[in-house]
Amino acid sequence: MLIVGELINSSRKVISNAIDERNEQYIKEIAIEQVAAGADYLDVNCGTTVFREKETMEWLVNIIQEAVQVPLCIDSPNPETLEVGLALCKYGQPMINSITGEKERFRAIIPLVTQYKTKIIALCMDDNGIPETVGERLDVLKNLYINLHENGVSDQDMHFDPLVKPISSVEAAGKEVLDTIKAIKIQYPDVHFMCGLSNVSYGLPNRKVLNRIFMVQTMTLGMDGYILNPTDKGMMAMMTASQALLGQDSYCMNYLAAHRAGLFEE
Ligand code: THG
């Protein structure tokens, strides 16, 4: 299971304030908290700073690495911003978030994957947008798979993101993702996944319940990577319980450790 901590994202008011004030302490605290809570990677996204995205990325990556020694998931659609972040990554194998099947974006980002030997999140979309049906999703992913492979990316380093839509606007959005995971597992058993959970519950009450259950449902079918808030104790407790029930936790050691750490006390 690969956990990417989502909290360093300038779309969150607390982070954009910290960026404006160059509040190093706050960014460092959030980095340390996420790693302590179990994050394997930290996502770094400063997309809302638009014209200053590159210098903000540089500042964030340096500050974060003064606080923690985990690999980073550099999150931007802009190849120049990605390059600034990747060039500064010091610990482990960095991850690019993300590439898509869009021709121009693919062509611009693939050299960075090769140069920095990164892991890569491939979003399930192309120049026609986000596909609707399972069949269309598989076609998009098949093209991405072939093109990534031709460029030397191994199955081990590919993480497919099925792109979750809100069930409040697309009734079958959850089921579409579940069916897509099943189909990908059959055709490409060795590739990995990555998904953000919060989109699924957008526009509905009790979002935490929907996010947590969707995590369990997707994990049951083979989803093995999530971008989420690792400091959400309830979410992490459910994940640990789910892994134990799926036989992914020998002697239930992680489950018991989570219990002792108080993860099951709300
Ligand atoms: N797929 C990929 N990358 C992504 C996403 C994805 N990057 C961005 C996004 N989706 C995932 N990151 C976030 C970051 C912050 C929030 C949601 C998704 C967010 N967090 C709550 C807030 O600030 O109010 C706090 C979270 C909580 O308390 O549970 O809004 O889908 N490849």
Side-chain angles (χ1 to χ4, degrees):
M1 183 61 58
L2 204 59
I3 305 293
V4 179
E6 74 181 10
L7 295 178
I8 303 178
N9 189 314
S10 64
S11 70
R12 302 178 65 232
K13 190 72 184 137
V14 280
I15 297 294
S16 72
N17 288 345
I19 290 170
D20 290 344
E21 297 159 6
R22 288 292 186 258
N23 184 345
E24 297 188 5
Q25 201 51 42
Y26 184 75
I27 301 292
K28 286 181 184 178
E29 276 167 24
I30 295 289
I32 291 168
E33 268 179 46
Q34 291 188 93
V35 173
D40 302 300
Y41 273 76
L42 295 184
D43 195 71
V44 187
N45 182 318
C46 50
T48 61
T49 62
V50 215
F51 297 114
R52 296 182 307 146
E53 195 189 7
K54 280 191 278 181
E55 61 167 281
T56 309
M57 181 59 80
E58 180 178 355
W59 181 74
L60 284 171
V61 169
N62 284 326
I63 292 302
I64 293 165
Q65 292 184 120
E66 283 175 22
V68 293
Q69 306 191 339
V70 296
L72 302 179
C73 175
I74 308 296
D75 188 353
S76 171
N78 182 342
E80 291 182 19
T81 304
L82 289 174
E83 171 129 48
V84 168
L86 293 169
L88 293 168
C89 283
K90 287 198 283 197
Y91 304 111
Q93 185 182 18
M95 184 165 4
I96 292 177
N97 188 7
S98 52
I99 203 164
T100 69
E102 295 160 296
K103 290 226 156 43
E104 207 173 304
R105 180 154 164 189
F106 190 93
R107 218 177 302 125
I109 289 175
I110 202 72
L112 299 173
V113 183
T114 314
Q115 185 181 349
Y116 294 97
K117 300 184 172 46
T118 69
K119 282 180 168 293
I120 176 92
I121 300 176
L123 304 186
C124 184
M125 62 179 290
D126 62 13
D127 289 306
N128 298 316
I130 304 177
E132 297 276 333
T133 65
V134 175
E136 288 167 0
R137 279 171 184 262
L138 271 185
D139 286 343
V140 171
L141 288 177
K142 186 176 265 177
N143 270 326
L144 268 164
Y145 181 86
I146 290 168
N147 289 327
L148 286 169
H149 223 258
E150 278 175 356
N151 282 280
V153 183
S154 70
D155 286 13
Q156 180 62 35
D157 287 337
M158 283 181 214
H159 295 259
F160 285 127
D161 184 335
L163 276 184
V164 180
K165 295 176 192 167
I167 53 170
S168 59
S169 60
V170 183
E171 193 175 85
K175 186 170 182 331
E176 251 175 47
V177 168
L178 297 173
D179 290 343
T180 304
I181 298 169
K182 273 193 266 186
I184 294 175
K185 274 301 233 188
I186 292 168
Q187 289 199 27
Y188 309 103
D190 295 328
V191 301
H192 295 290
F193 292 94
M194 184 61 63
C195 85
L197 288 167
S198 48
N199 251 358
V200 82
S201 61
Y202 186 80
L204 290 170
N206 310 313
R207 294 187 63 181
K208 277 191 169 174
V209 175
L210 292 167
N211 294 347
R212 288 174 191 183
I213 293 181
F214 196 54
M215 182 268 298
V216 174
Q217 291 177 323
T218 50
M219 191 192 287
T220 303
L221 295 176
M223 178 68 63
D224 61 357
Y226 293 95
I227 304 181
L228 48 69
N229 172 6
T231 70
D232 176 349
K233 277 173 41 176
M235 174 67 88
M236 296 306 271
M238 291 275 277
M239 183 175 287
T240 307
S242 177
Q243 282 180 294
L245 289 164
L246 290 170
Q248 300 171 3
D249 182 11
S250 71
Y251 299 103
C252 302
M253 298 246 270
N254 293 331
Y255 179 80
L256 292 167
H259 166 73
R260 284 192 295 271
L263 239 58
F264 292 94
E265 295 156 20
E266 271 298 310

